[in-house]
Amino acid sequence: MAELGALLGSRTRALAVRRWLFDGGPVPESLPVRLPGVSAASWSVLREKAPLPAWSLADERRAPDGTTKLALTLGTATVETVLIPGKGRSTVCVSSQAGCTQRCGFCATATLGFTRALTAGEIVLQYAIARAAAPPDAPARNVVFMGMGEPMDNLDAVLAAVRILTEEGLPGLAASHVTVSTSGVLPGMKRFLKESAAHLALSLNATTDAQREALMPQNRSWPIARLLGALREDHERGSGRRYFIEYVLWDGVNDSDADADRLVGLLRDLPAHVNLIPHNPYDASPLRPPPDARVLAFQDRVHRGGVRCLVRWPRGQEIAAACGQLARRHEAAS
Ligand code: SAH
């Protein structure tokens, strides 16, 4: 906001630009020649110094439940953004990188390799574009950084995007409605917890280092105890945050009663909220989700252990828009 105000010469003009971009209409592929409420001279400065990132819609797929996956071409990169309508509000899932810097063995995005980091503008743009596609009775008030990429490996841009989404003026999201998810990149995670008021989700996915290392190589540098230690430190600092713990369930890998009990043990002293995600299959993966009854038994056991726990049943699986399925499949299909 401060930068925009400085570029345009006034806060009122900055607010006018935000109104225009986030007012619900479709986002144009480039900035208009004039903007009502902003003088021609200052608008032309903005067009030159801070143009809309170049983008075009490469593909749009809508699942029967309304979940919509948008493939956006951003210059040389293509990323995916998912709109997930809910009761009274929608969630936008944004990408922070084209491809990913991490190599999780269960995620379709990892198979793409890494193309490049996105800018803050490109991250906010994804939200603006998806927002225009939200149903009128379910405006896009939540943002999750759970699309392609590892947010902590592009933290400057992610923090700037969170700031733009949550500061004064439109879209004015509550910080508690923005969640940044990490596969456990400890230095970035610590910095994020210090510098941002947004929520953090940690993709834990296992209860022992041996298990976790087998699927998430980054665990060798940043093992479970250190990751949870950082959350504990943040909690003890009095941040007042709740921590979302993502736990993908794989049949016969991490779905036993012993796993559930260990998970409870790890999280007992934290205000944690576990989201169980039954594995979403994709072509190259031999991993399978457990039967639904096992998922429910696992949830029940964690819940009875005193840890809040919900199941994220797949949304948009038909269009490969569910967690871990973002891999530009439309290109292969078309
Ligand atoms: N890189 C960040 C942001 C992506 S979030 C992170 O890992 O947190 C994507 C979420 O989907 C993560 O919680 C991840 O563990 C989960 N996920 C990845 N592949 C999956 C799959 N095939 N099925 C279900 N969930 C998956």
Side-chain angles (χ1 to χ4, degrees):
M1 196 55 195
E3 293 96 330
L4 195 56
L7 263 179
L8 292 169
S10 92
R11 189 176 150 270
T12 318
R13 291 179 196 147
L15 288 170
V17 173
R18 280 173 168 269
R19 247 192 330 273
W20 167 77
L21 186 58
F22 297 111
D23 224 4
V27 178
E29 290 191 7
S30 60
L31 292 177
V33 180
R34 284 294 317 270
L35 190 74
V38 181
S39 73
S42 42
W43 184 246
S44 69
V45 171
L46 182 91
R47 275 170 39 103
E48 193 180 313
K49 296 224 170 115
L52 210 58
W55 74 278
S56 61
L57 184 65
D59 194 29
E60 175 169 357
R61 304 209 165 184
R62 188 178 290 262
D65 69 3
T67 301
T68 302
K69 180 167 81 167
L70 306 170
L72 303 175
T73 303
L74 299 168
T76 51
T78 301
V79 300
E80 291 175 339
T81 308
V82 184
L83 174 77
I84 309 153
K87 272 199 210 86
R89 61 179 166 69
S90 295
T91 298
V92 177
C93 177
V94 295
S95 294
S96 56
Q97 300 178 321
C100 192
T101 35
Q102 300 298 324
R103 291 285 163 272
C104 302
F106 48 83
C107 180
T109 305
T111 63
L112 296 175
F114 175 63
T115 306
R116 70 171 172 87
L118 302 185
T119 64
E122 288 170 331
I123 296 171
V124 174
L125 182 70
Q126 293 173 60
Y127 167 75
I129 292 167
R131 175 184 218 271
D137 60 345
R141 288 214 199 92
N142 284 6
V143 173
V144 295
F145 286 68
M146 296 186 182
M148 293 174 159
E150 170 47 55
M152 299 309 163
D153 288 338
N154 187 20
L155 191 51
D156 287 337
V158 166
L159 287 172
V162 171
R163 188 160 42 80
I164 294 168
L165 292 169
T166 55
E167 67 190 355
E168 77 166 316
L170 287 179
L173 303 181
S176 59
H177 288 186
V178 176
T179 302
V180 176
S181 182
T182 179
S183 62
V185 175
L186 185 63
M189 207 173 107
K190 284 185 165 171
R191 187 178 150 210
F192 174 85
L193 289 168
K194 290 219 171 91
E195 295 185 19
S196 179
H199 277 310
L200 182 80
L202 170 64
S203 300
L204 189 65
N205 296 341
T207 55
T208 68
D209 284 321
Q211 244 180 3
R212 196 167 189 272
E213 248 170 61
L215 287 160
M216 305 181 79
Q218 61 274 46
N219 194 74
R220 264 177 240 129
S221 312
W222 304 299
I224 294 175
R226 290 182 64 200
L227 297 174
L228 296 179
L231 301 188
R232 215 161 278 127
E233 248 172 55
D234 181 67
H235 177 57
E236 281 158 13
R237 269 201 303 269
S239 75
R241 261 190 257 253
R242 238 179 319 144
Y243 307 98
F244 296 101
I245 304 295
E246 314 287 291
Y247 192 93
V248 182
L249 279 168
W250 295 289
D251 192 22
V253 175
N254 64 350
D255 62 345
S256 68
D257 285 350
D259 287 302
D261 295 344
R262 271 196 299 269
L263 188 59
V264 168
L266 288 171
L267 301 177
R268 193 170 274 134
D269 56 344
L270 276 171
H273 184 128
V274 174
N275 286 314
L276 297 176
I277 316 174
H279 176 72
N280 291 308
Y282 57 96
D283 294 346
S285 177
L287 294 160
R288 293 283 157 255
D292 288 358
R294 177 90 290 265
V295 173
L296 291 171
F298 193 98
Q299 178 194 18
D300 185 54
R301 202 166 173 98
V302 173
H303 186 74
R304 275 191 287 121
V307 177
R308 288 167 59 120
C309 182
L310 291 176
V311 180
R312 282 225 225 122
W313 296 106
R315 299 279 312 255
Q317 221 180 30
E318 308 85 346
I319 54 167
C323 301
Q325 291 186 315
L326 300 185
R328 304 196 311 239
R329 229 210 265 150
H330 53 96
E331 282 178 2
S334 54

